[in-house]
């Protein structure tokens, strides 16, 4: 580990903390439906949408209605993208005359982008420009906006009193897209273009390499997709190499900004939550718990990657583990990127996680298994985290001798039931689908490597899919009907079996009375609470995966220490 | 209670509890506790598998695992049986009382002797001296002194009379003088006595809302761990091995929250039981939980904040009258007044002004206090001395109202009221002499209690009939947060509603029929046992000692119940970390020998590690039974410090204890070569 490496991590963390309040305040304005400076330009667009669709943006929706509208919308856009991908060969903007996608791959890809997972069983190079821009990029915006809208609905559940209304899904979706994602992406895209990221409709250029060979390098509207890929914690790269590709991520500055943009909205939402419930310290406490888990993970991964592989050392290869990493970024920036992208359910990568050391690769996987609640996907992170907060309040809150309360709302049987339901989906799908793949021949055909490392590849794939992360451990041949189908189902359930209970909780909480905080209330702002949150997330969210991790990365690690590789 | 509390582990209780523990294995009953039910199903499965044979493990090892799994279930049912047994001993004596009740039921033209169980609502029964009252009801006619010790444990008789706030009588209590006619207000089998028996026995105990929520959480955790364990065979198959079913079962049972599940109902029963021992009957477990959540306590001034009786503290004469003259008149007016206030006037006059007169002359005519005149006095020869509320005296002596003395008197009255005292005016033959200041005596230590409550976030509101000036002064002296002066029952109800609209939970106590709406509206309404039937029906708790101060303790007991649940849940969940570290390496070390590194406790062998974890998991239940029954100690130190304390003990302790415990068990297991 180097001083520069740690400096990068600390500078990154400091900027993240500095971003919290401005981002949070921006989001809060949208949460409240207030005017923003962009209304001047985009206000007519917003009203135009409502008029076209015949929507009253002020009509309050109960949780069932909110959930129903959201689900119908997801299914409709899912179908749209599926059709675009299947028939890209006959649709315009296909200069390379690419064929249509196979049904299983199109299903997997459509689900993947609808659920903000952006798992890529396909290779980015096999998509037409129309498929990229229309089929996928709309989801990059809409799935991100959906996640934030769900978070808003849940915040309203906590903040409102004795009402059934959670806001209006269409208004939330439109405002978040128009007044947050679009303006941010325009600025971000220009920044990326300035740093050399291509933005063109030309499909490729031909270059002559130093050896004199001719190489065809693909081009396209990369910068614009890159911006929303990061900001919306989508992660689906234009190229298969994702942010390790120089056209996606040209230099150290873009690398830092990309990492920051993954966290920006997620951390901002913690502040928005605090503001919504009338006490920003509530939001800071959540952020502190997230940052503790983030820094812990970063420290372990960086330490393991910098320590390198003793087997390599024995044959004279000194230094850390550089396998699968870009020399432009090095160990610290790659380790940090890996932790950020898995904490935040982004899934963009600038190094191959499969090539990390066993424990260095365990952390990204474990981050996702915790439920993508360490900052997490935009919106998804905070609503997932709040489910754990409810659980933590319920387990420990009784110890102050009162019925558990969180930000003024009593937590009772119904909330506990729904929270447990949502949280149990993760181990059920991750472990269940991994178990299926680990015994069926179609599953066993997937992994590249043998032994515990091969097991890690399967486990990581399902972890990434169900957690809606989308990063790949690589090594696994996932573009088969078996994996396409199972991963697709995993992504869908991992997303919506969490969202629907979260909305139901919001509905149940909104109907409740608010109980003002007193000296007898369970304190949910101090260090004790932060420690408690971390403990509950690790024990309930993490320990469940210990048997699987023991047979995967942990076994891999101890084998490495004994001089065995897989 | 007439029975002495049985000690927790007396042989008298343990014997039957062991029997009941086995009876509770009945699946229909066990299924109410899903975690224990799961454990029993797993134990049964392993027992059957052992019978079938074919597992790779040794018979002795499997047999031991099975025995400990069954013990885990039995320890749980035993804890519940023990908690119930403690209540049942008390119920037995109540039931004996109930069995012998007969009634003299009024029929046309006389009375007929019928068993009490045949009485219906509306029947009139005659109860004579030394009869037991056969059913709950209201005195329809007459007045009698009643010994209620069978219910309250208090042997001093109480007066029960028709009309007013002291008309309610309870089945099983004995009339010791006079006779009364009682109108039955209960349906057969639904009386106070029946309810009390059901309550202390824990029979038909309904799970409380919080208990239901906690059970849901425990089921949820069980499902999560079931998933974690059920997928292990597939993962093991990938690693090229297999894990015996018995070992998987051991992993599952140690991970699911058996500890808290086994103790959950015992905690609830013991919580109710503590309340009963405290002579408070809660009509539902929900009320006990609500007590822990209380934000606002409405406390009656008299009897709770001040000792019941005011004491004369000062004589203030108007100008032209000497203090001695006033003192003597006050003494004469009070000699016949047997109330504590009257006696305190006599005492003050004797001590401060050396008035020696000790008895009224024989020809004195006493004017008794009536609600209409609101004054009392005495006629001595031609002299009339009156004592009473200032307004009453002025009204009774028309013509004095506009005099300079009257003006002075009013000024004094205000001063006295502002100082938190109650003024009584004295007049002699239509001449105003002055005022007696009666002082409320604040109970010792009550100020500290209120400070404690404030630290716990509970606001205290004093309810009093006094005027606002007096009330403010007493409120300040006693240290309550707020007061409601000149309070009518309607004011109380309005205050409760206002607090509740602000999201507060309110507790109060009351005894009169006009308190009933407020008692019903309050989240915790404690009715005094001496109160009317209407009040006792409206409240969700009844205090058999009729001591309004108890409200404060009731809140503490409610908190204690919730804290005990939370502490043991946290302990149970925290325990899982160590159990993983015991069993995971034991299972997987056969596939990847390097995983032995996870055996950080250095347990002797895979089999001993598994057995030790299961044994620890089972033994921790009886070890925690005393805590479950006694309850976690409640300290009024504020939520933050309380949480820090409990997390240190039950959270951090729960992380560490099993590491130590499993290691110790492993030393024994290895030493005895059990595995």
């Amino acid at each position: 580990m180097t001083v520069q490496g740690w400096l990068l991590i600390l500078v990154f963390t400091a900027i993240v903390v500095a971003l919290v309040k401005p981002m949070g305040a921006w989001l809060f304005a949208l949460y409240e439906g207030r005017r923003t400076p962009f209304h001047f330009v985009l206000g007519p667009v917003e009203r135009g949408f409502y008029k076209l669709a015949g929507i009253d943006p002020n009509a309050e929706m109960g949780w069932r209605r909110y959930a129903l509208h959201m689900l119908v919308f997801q299914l409709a856009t899912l179908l749209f993208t599926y059709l675009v991908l299947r028939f890209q060969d006959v649709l315009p903007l296909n200069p390379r005359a690419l064929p249509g996608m196979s049904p299983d791959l199109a299903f997997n890809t459509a689900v993947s982008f609808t659920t903000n997972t952006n798992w890529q069983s396909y290779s980015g190079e096999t998509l037409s420009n129309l498929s990229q821009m229309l089929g996928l990029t709309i989801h990059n915006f809409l799935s991100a906006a959906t996640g934030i809208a769900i978070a808003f609905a849940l915040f309203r559940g906590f903040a409102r009193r004795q009402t059934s209304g959670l806001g209006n899904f269409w208004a939330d979706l439109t405002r978040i897209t128009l007044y947050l994602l679009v303006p941010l992406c325009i600025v971000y895209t220009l920044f990326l273009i300035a740093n050399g990221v291509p933005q063109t409709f030309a499909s490729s250029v031909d270059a002559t390499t130093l050896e004199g060979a001719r190489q065809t390098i693909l081009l396209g509207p990369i910068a614009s997709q890159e911006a929303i890929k990061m900001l919306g914690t989508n992660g689906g790269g234009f190229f298969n190499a994702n942010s390790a590709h120089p056209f996606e991520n040209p230099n150290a500055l873009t690398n830092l900004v990309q990492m920051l943009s993954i966290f920006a909205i997620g951390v901002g939402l913690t502040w928005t939550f605090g503001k919504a419930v009338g006490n920003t310290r509530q939001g800071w406490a959540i952020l502190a718990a997230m940052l503790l888990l983030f820094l812990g993970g970063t420290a372990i991964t960086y330490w393991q990657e910098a320590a390198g592989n003793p087997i390599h050392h024995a044959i004279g290869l000194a230094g850390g583990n550089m396998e699968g990493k870009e020399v432009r970024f090095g160990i610290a920036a790659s380790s940090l990127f890996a932790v950020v992208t898995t904490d935040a359910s982004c899934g963009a990568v600038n190094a191959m996680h499969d090539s990390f050391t066993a424990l260095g690769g365990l952390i990204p996987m474990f981050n996702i298994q915790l439920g993508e609640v360490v900052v997490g996907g935009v919106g998804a992170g905070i609503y997932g985290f709040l489910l754990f907060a409810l659980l933590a309040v319920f387990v420990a809150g009784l110890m102050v001798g009162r019925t558990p309360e969180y930000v003024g709302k009593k937590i009772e049987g119904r909330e506990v039931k729904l929270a447990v339901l949502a949280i149990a989906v993760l181990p059920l799908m991750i472990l269940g689908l991994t178990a299926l793949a680990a015994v069926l021949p179609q599953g066993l055909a997937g992994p590249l490597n043998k032994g515990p490392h091969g097991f890690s590849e399967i486990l990581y794939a399902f972890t990434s899919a169900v957690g809606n992360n989308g990063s790949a451990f690589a090594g696994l041949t996932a573009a088969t009907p078996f994996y396409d189908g199972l991963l697709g189902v995993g992504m869908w359930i991992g997303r919506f079996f969490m969202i629907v209970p979260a909305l139901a909780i919001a509905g149940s909480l909104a109907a409740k009375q608010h109980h003002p905080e007193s000296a007898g209330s369970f304190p949910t702002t101090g260090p004790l609470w932060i420690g408690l949150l971390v403990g509950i997330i690790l024990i309930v969210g993490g320990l469940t995966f210990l048997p699987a991790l023991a047979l995967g990365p942990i076994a891999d690690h101890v084998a490495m220490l004994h001089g065995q590789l897989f | 209670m007439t029975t002495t509390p049985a000690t927790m582990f007396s042989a008298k209780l343990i014997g039957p509890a062991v029997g009941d523990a086995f009876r509770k294995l009945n699946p229909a009953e066990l299924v109410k506790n899903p975690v224990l039910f799961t454990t029993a199903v797993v134990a049964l499965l392993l027992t059957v598998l052992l019978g079938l044979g074919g597992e790779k493990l040794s018979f002795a090892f499997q047999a031991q695992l099975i025995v400990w799994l069954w013990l885990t279930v039995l320890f749980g049912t035993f804890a519940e049986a023990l908690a119930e047994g403690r209540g049942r001993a008390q119920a037995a004596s109540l039931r004996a009382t109930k069995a012998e009740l007969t009634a003299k039921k009024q029929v046309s033209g006389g009375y007929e002797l019928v068993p009490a169980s045949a009485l219906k609502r509306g029947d009139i029964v005659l109860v004579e001296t030394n009869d037991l009252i056969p059913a709950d009801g209201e005195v329809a006619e007459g007045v009698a002194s009643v010994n209620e010790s069978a219910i309250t444990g208090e042997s001093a008789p109480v007066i029960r009379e028709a009309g007013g706030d002291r008309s309610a009588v309870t089945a099983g209590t004995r009339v010791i003088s006079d006779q009364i006619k009682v109108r039955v207000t209960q349906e057969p089998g639904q009386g106070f006595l029946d309810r009390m028996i059901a309550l202390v026995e824990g029979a038909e105990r309904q799970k409380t809302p919080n208990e239901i929520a906690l059970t849901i959480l425990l089921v949820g955790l069980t499902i999560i761990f079931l998933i974690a364990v059920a997928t292990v065979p597939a993962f093991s198959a990938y690693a090229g091995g297999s894990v015996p079913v018995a070992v998987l079962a051991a992993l599952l049972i140690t991970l699911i929250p058996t500890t808290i599940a086994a103790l959950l109902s015992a905690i609830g029963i013991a919580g109710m039981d503590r309340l009963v021992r405290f002579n408070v009957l809660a009509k539902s477990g929900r009320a006990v939980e609500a007590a822990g959540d209380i934000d606002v306590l409405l406390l009656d001034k008299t009897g709770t904040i001040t000792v019941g009786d005011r004491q004369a503290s000062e004589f203030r004469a108007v100008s032209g009258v000497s203090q001695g003259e006033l003192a003597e008149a006050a003494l004469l007016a009070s000699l016949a007044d047997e109330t504590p206030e009257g006696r305190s006037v006599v005492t003050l006059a004797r001590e401060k002004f050396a008035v020696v007169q000790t008895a009224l002359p024989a020809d004195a005519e006493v004017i008794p206090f009536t609600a209409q005149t609101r004054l009392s006095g005495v006629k001595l020869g031609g002299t009339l001395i009156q004592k009473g509320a200032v307004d009453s005296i002025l009204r009774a002596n028309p013509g004095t109202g506009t005099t300079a003395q009257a003006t002075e008197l009013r000024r004094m009255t205000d001063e006295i009221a502002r100082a938190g005292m109650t003024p009584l005016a004295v007049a002699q033959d239509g001449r105003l002499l002055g005022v007696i200041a009666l002082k409320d005596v604040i109970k010792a230590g009550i100020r500290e209690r209120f400070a404690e409550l404030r630290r716990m976030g509970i606001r205290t509101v004093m309810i009093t009939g006094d005027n606002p000036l007096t009330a403010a002064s007493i409120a300040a002296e006693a240290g309550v947060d707020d007061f409601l002066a000149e309070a009518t029952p309607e004011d109380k109800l309005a205050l409760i509603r206002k607090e509740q609209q602000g999201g507060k939970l309110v507790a109060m106590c009351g005894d009169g029929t006009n308190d009933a709406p407020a008692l019903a509206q309050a989240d915790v309404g404690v009715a005094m046992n001496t109160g009317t039937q209407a009040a006792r029906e409206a409240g969700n708790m009844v205090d058999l000692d009729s001591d309004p101060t108890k409200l404060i303790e009731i809140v503490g007991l409610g908190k204690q119940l919730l804290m005990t649940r939370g502490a043991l849940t946290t302990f149970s969940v925290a325990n899982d970390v160590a159990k993983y570290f015991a069993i995971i390496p034991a299972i997987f070390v056969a596939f990847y020998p390097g995983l032995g590194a996870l055996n950080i406790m250095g347990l002797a062998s895979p089999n001993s590690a598994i057995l030790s974890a299961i044994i620890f998991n089972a033994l921790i239940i009886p070890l925690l039974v005393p805590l479950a029954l006694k309850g976690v100690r409640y300290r009024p130190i504020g939520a933050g410090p309380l949480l820090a304390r409990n997390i240190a003990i039950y959270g951090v302790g729960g992380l560490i204890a099993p590491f130590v415990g499993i290691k110790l068990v492993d030393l024994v297991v290895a030493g005895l070569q059990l595995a």
Side-chain angles (χ1 to χ4, degrees), chain B residues 380-397:
Chain B
L380 289 164
T383 316
L384 170 69
I385 303 174
Q386 290 166 308
K387 177 187 82 171
V390 178
D391 288 341
S392 312
I393 293 285
L394 291 176
R395 211 179 307 121
N397 298 287

Side-chain angles (χ1 to χ4, degrees), chain B residues 76-109:
Chain B
T77 54
F78 172 76
E80 189 179 314
L82 190 62
E84 285 175 359
R86 297 210 298 167
R88 201 165 296 147
Q90 296 172 324
S93 68
L94 291 171
R95 193 167 277 136
T97 311
K98 188 170 151 41
E100 61 196 47
L101 292 178
T102 52
K104 294 166 188 157
K105 182 178 161 191
Q106 185 173 2
V107 289
S108 52

Side-chain angles (χ1 to χ4, degrees), chain B residues 123 147 289 620 638:
Chain B
D123 288 348
N147 181 338
E289 274 173 14
I620 195 73

Side-chain angles (χ1 to χ4, degrees), chain A residues 461-481:
Chain A
F462 285 107
T463 300
S464 176
V466 177
N468 295 142
N469 182 280
S471 68
F473 208 49
L476 185 76
T477 308
T480 64

Side-chain angles (χ1 to χ4, degrees), chain A residues 31-96:
Chain A
Y31 166 84
E32 293 265 273
R34 288 192 197 151
R35 264 186 89 81
T36 64
F38 306 105
H39 274 72
F40 183 67
V41 186
L42 295 170
V45 181
E46 184 193 353
R47 286 190 294 278
F49 276 138
Y50 297 150
K51 202 156 195 165
L52 268 177
I55 285 165
D56 172 10
N58 297 317
E60 286 287 328
M61 293 177 172
W63 81 264
R64 284 191 180 82
R65 207 170 154 75
Y66 203 102
L68 184 71
H69 283 233
M70 183 272 303
L71 279 176
V72 168
F73 178 68
Q74 304 299 321
L75 283 169
T77 53
L78 173 79
L79 186 67
F80 171 77
T81 297
Y82 175 80
L83 293 175
V84 168
L85 295 176
R86 286 281 285 131
F87 301 110
Q88 66 173 1
D89 51 340
V90 293
L91 291 167
L93 284 178
N94 184 11
R96 280 177 285 142

Side-chain angles (χ1 to χ4, degrees), chain A residues 27 30 66 70 73-74 114 116 138-153 169-182 228 231-234 265 269 378-380 383 495 499:
Chain A
L27 285 155
L30 301 177
Y66 203 102
M70 183 272 303
F73 178 68
Q74 304 299 321
T114 311
N116 194 252
I138 56 158
H139 284 294
N140 283 352
F141 281 91
L142 294 177
S143 69
T146 301
I148 300 172
I150 303 301
F152 281 2
F169 172 68
W170 303 109
D172 283 339
L173 190 76
T174 312
R175 287 174 188 152
I176 292 161
T177 310
L178 281 183
Y179 303 127
L180 178 77
L181 298 178
V182 167
I228 189 62
L231 274 171
T233 60
N234 290 291
I265 295 178
L269 280 168
V378 289
Y383 65 67
R495 174 95 165 164
I499 284 184

Side-chain angles (χ1 to χ4, degrees), chain B residues 520-582:
Chain B
Q521 178 75 34
D523 300 283
V524 173
V526 183
M528 300 293 107
N529 192 42
T530 52
T532 59
Q533 191 66 24
R536 297 202 314 193
E537 288 294 330
N540 49 16
M541 292 190 193
V542 176
D543 177 20
L544 300 173
D545 297 337
S546 304
D547 171 7
T549 322
K550 274 198 190 163
L551 205 47
I552 301 173
E553 271 86 8
I554 291 172
V555 170
L557 286 175
K559 286 197 180 295
Q560 193 182 26
L561 172 69
L562 294 172
M563 273 169 55
T564 309
R565 270 189 209 141
L568 291 177
T569 306
T570 307
F571 186 84
S572 204
V573 172
N575 270 204
D576 277 356
V577 178
K579 292 169 182 169
Y580 266 114
F581 278 98

